[in-house]
Amino acid sequence: MIEQTQHVSAQTERYILGSMIMDVEALITAADQISWEMFYERKNQLVFNALIDIYKETGKTDITILDDFIRGQEATRKLIDSVYLCALTDDVVTTANILSHTKIIKKLYLLRRVELFGMSVMENAKFRDDPDALIREASSQLIDLADEQVEKKDPTVPAIMAEVHEKWKDIKEGKQTHIPTSELLFGDMIPGWYPGHFNSIAAYTSAGKSTLLAQIMVDAGREGASQIIFSLEDSRHERMYKLLANIADVPQRAQISGTFGNNDKARLKEAEEEMREWPLLIYSDVRAIEGMRLKILKAKMRGKVDIVAIDFIQNIVEPGKLYDRMSYAALTLQAMAQDLEFTLILLSQIDNETAKNPNSKFIGMKGAGEIAAASDAVIWMAPEGDKKGGMERDLRISLKKNRKFGPLGGRDFEFSPRWTRIQRRNEWDDGRLG
């Protein structure tokens, strides 16, 4: 069987490598799905690793750079010549089928592993006189083989404790293990944005969710955070208006219409210069979860990703009705944040019933309860003007869920005079919400 699959494997491997050379997106997809050991031919393993290394260093995939890289290493130049590298792209008409080809590679790799396992059992059977022991040993090996397909991390206590001690060591040495939160907002309740945490900001339509998100991201940007925003409602330049408004105190309306004076112009220029130094990416054309994953992975391959924000989850494009989409999105994004180790901040609308009763203990997100269930923290925003006779700019921000750090509570805020930021009116309430 191994011999029969070599031809298919070789063709598929060349297609994948050729696609990776021609298209960065194909490289990211392949890197997310397969690893070098899944390639059958040794020279293809080396080319795959070389392409990954080149991308991490340069952010590009280029046949000339690849050829120079191969020539520069003794282990690779003996096996791979320039003719072979150039031929990799000859049969690639489109890179659109990269995902289906990675699935073929994974299947062939698994089949080779299974066949080698079977051959090993047959060989051992020739020299063993205890069939029960042979069966137990073979069963154990088969279970281990199956586990490799789903379990990538060592689940034992020593392995996990080693990770824990490594994190404690990083903290002791002063390494950045999280992005501090602003004391003005949640610093005493959520001390930081930590890798793997899933945080939701929930409110009814036009309650200020995007303004709060902009404020969080500006504060995090000033702490050196590497951030990605998936803007599913606003265009990317409209998202930029919100961030600039938060820094420069120049309203979005003035930016959109261009009706701002010299003082505002000067502040906008200062804000722009500050933001140019931030590792911030804004996408308004990526609406499916798989596309988000690839963009995040692309950024991580070249550095780090501290915070990913999605505004807002109900606009994610996935198959099915709203409940199915929201259930799938919540659980998939939760797993993605943990696997790729970034903080997820997700904006969500609340359902109509909850909007009518904002003091309810029930956390009613629009579409599915899985959003609140998957969240480590739920930051709840409710306008206060109608209830307390205050102005429209008054609002209440509460922590209705705080799974990682414990304390719950609410604080009174208001929009700044120019509606560009959110500022505190009172301290947090003593005690916990019910």
Side-chain angles (χ1 to χ4, degrees):
M1 192 284 263
I2 291 179
E3 290 77 8
Q4 292 175 348
T5 62
Q6 283 184 20
H7 179 66
V8 175
S9 179
Q11 284 186 319
T12 305
E13 290 178 10
R14 287 197 292 270
Y15 172 86
I16 290 174
L17 296 175
S19 297
M20 292 173 69
I21 293 170
M22 295 171 62
D23 184 0
V24 168
E25 295 299 320
L27 182 146
I28 300 301
T29 300
D32 187 40
Q33 296 294 322
I34 57 178
S35 54
W36 66 268
E37 68 268 17
M38 294 184 182
F39 286 82
Y40 182 77
E41 295 192 31
R42 176 58 180 162
K43 58 184 176 182
N44 291 342
Q45 294 176 349
L46 295 172
V47 173
F48 180 85
N49 279 340
L51 284 167
I52 299 299
D53 289 342
I54 290 169
Y55 176 76
K56 288 180 178 179
E57 184 175 340
T58 68
K60 301 176 182 178
T61 60
D62 180 272
I63 188 67
T64 303
I65 298 175
L66 175 63
D67 189 48
D68 290 342
F69 187 92
I70 296 293
R71 301 280 74 74
Q73 300 186 51
E74 184 176 355
T76 54
R77 67 170 176 257
K78 290 181 179 180
L79 287 175
I80 308 162
D81 58 26
S82 300
V83 175
Y84 182 76
L85 294 179
C86 291
L88 289 174
T89 60
D90 288 348
D91 296 328
V92 180
V93 178
T94 174
T95 62
N97 299 321
I98 183 73
L99 187 59
S100 61
H101 280 71
T102 60
K103 291 179 180 178
I104 294 172
I105 286 293
K106 286 195 285 189
K107 182 181 75 172
L108 294 175
Y109 170 70
L110 179 58
L111 288 173
R112 290 197 301 270
R113 294 290 307 277
V114 171
E115 182 162 358
L116 290 172
F117 163 76
M119 293 169 61
S120 174
V121 172
M122 291 176 61
E123 190 66 22
N124 287 336
K126 296 177 182 179
F127 306 101
R128 299 284 287 271
D129 57 3
D130 186 349
D132 290 337
L134 180 61
I135 291 171
R136 286 195 300 271
E137 182 179 319
S139 298
S140 177
Q141 292 175 358
L142 187 59
I143 291 172
D144 289 342
L145 181 60
D147 282 346
E148 285 183 21
Q149 310 311 310
V150 295
E151 182 59 65
K152 297 181 180 179
K153 296 183 178 179
D154 188 342
T156 63
V157 169
I160 297 170
M161 286 306 304
E163 294 178 7
V164 170
H165 284 287
E166 187 66 27
K167 292 183 182 297
W168 287 343
K169 179 183 176 184
D170 289 344
I171 294 171
K172 185 175 181 180
E173 293 177 352
K175 295 180 181 178
Q176 187 184 58
T177 59
H178 66 282
I179 303 300
T181 51
S182 169
E183 191 67 29
L184 176 67
L185 291 174
F186 325 110
D188 47 357
M189 294 276 182
I190 304 176
W193 307 116
Y194 285 79
H197 289 196
F198 178 162
N199 307 283
S200 295
I201 298 175
Y204 200 58
T205 302
S206 300
K209 298 187 295 295
S210 295
T211 300
L212 178 58
L213 176 63
Q215 192 153 330
I216 289 171
M217 302 203 83
V218 166
D219 291 340
R222 287 170 169 166
E223 293 286 347
S226 176
Q227 304 180 88
I228 300 176
I229 305 175
F230 293 104
S231 183
L232 308 186
E233 184 176 36
D234 295 329
S235 65
R236 61 182 191 172
H237 62 271
E238 288 171 335
R239 183 63 52 175
M240 185 62 72
Y241 292 152
K242 287 182 168 66
L243 295 167
L244 289 171
N246 195 267
I247 299 172
D249 194 29
V250 178
Q252 298 171 54
R253 179 178 178 178
Q255 295 184 60
I256 293 171
S257 61
T259 55
F260 46 79
N262 290 332
N263 289 338
D264 285 347
K265 185 176 180 180
R267 289 199 299 272
L268 285 170
K269 184 177 181 180
E270 290 178 3
E272 178 185 342
E273 290 175 353
E274 178 183 354
M275 288 188 65
R276 285 184 181 276
E277 303 299 318
W278 296 357
L280 170 65
L281 301 173
I282 303 175
Y283 295 101
S284 59
D285 57 349
V286 180
R287 296 177 173 271
I289 292 175
E290 185 57 32
M292 294 177 186
R293 178 181 175 85
L294 292 178
K295 295 298 184 185
I296 296 166
L297 184 63
K298 182 177 180 179
K300 281 188 70 70
M301 287 179 67
R302 303 213 62 218
K304 63 173 183 172
V305 176
D306 295 305
I307 297 173
V308 173
I310 301 174
D311 184 6
F312 55 96
I313 188 172
Q314 280 77 22
N315 278 355
I316 279 179
V317 177
E318 296 292 340
K321 296 181 179 179
L322 179 61
Y323 175 83
D324 298 324
R325 296 202 314 270
M326 295 303 96
S327 297
Y328 170 77
L331 298 176
T332 304
L333 291 168
Q334 179 191 40
M336 192 189 303
Q338 294 172 355
D339 292 344
L340 299 182
E341 297 186 319
F342 59 83
T343 302
L344 176 64
I345 300 178
L346 182 150
L347 274 60
S348 174
Q349 291 185 352
I350 61 176
D351 59 36
N352 291 332
E353 289 301 316
T354 306
K356 294 175 184 176
N357 184 15
N359 292 325
S360 170
K361 297 178 183 179
F362 178 68
I363 304 176
M365 308 281 199
K366 185 176 180 180
E370 280 80 358
I371 302 171
S375 299
D376 293 304
V378 176
I379 301 165
W380 199 265
M381 301 180 67
E384 288 285 289
D386 291 340
K387 293 196 315 170
K388 295 188 175 181
M391 297 181 66
E392 184 184 355
R393 68 178 71 247
D394 294 345
L395 69 153
R396 179 85 167 168
I397 300 180
S398 306
L399 276 176
K400 284 201 171 185
K401 182 179 181 181
N402 194 5
R403 182 161 57 196
K404 300 297 185 181
F405 302 109
L408 302 175
R411 190 179 271 153
D412 290 327
F413 286 82
E414 62 184 4
F415 285 97
S416 62
R418 302 186 83 183
W419 297 90
T420 56
R421 287 182 67 85
I422 294 171
Q423 57 197 30
R424 192 189 304 178
R425 283 192 290 130
N426 297 313
E427 297 296 321
W428 284 95
D429 292 342
D430 293 331
R432 297 168 60 92
L433 293 178

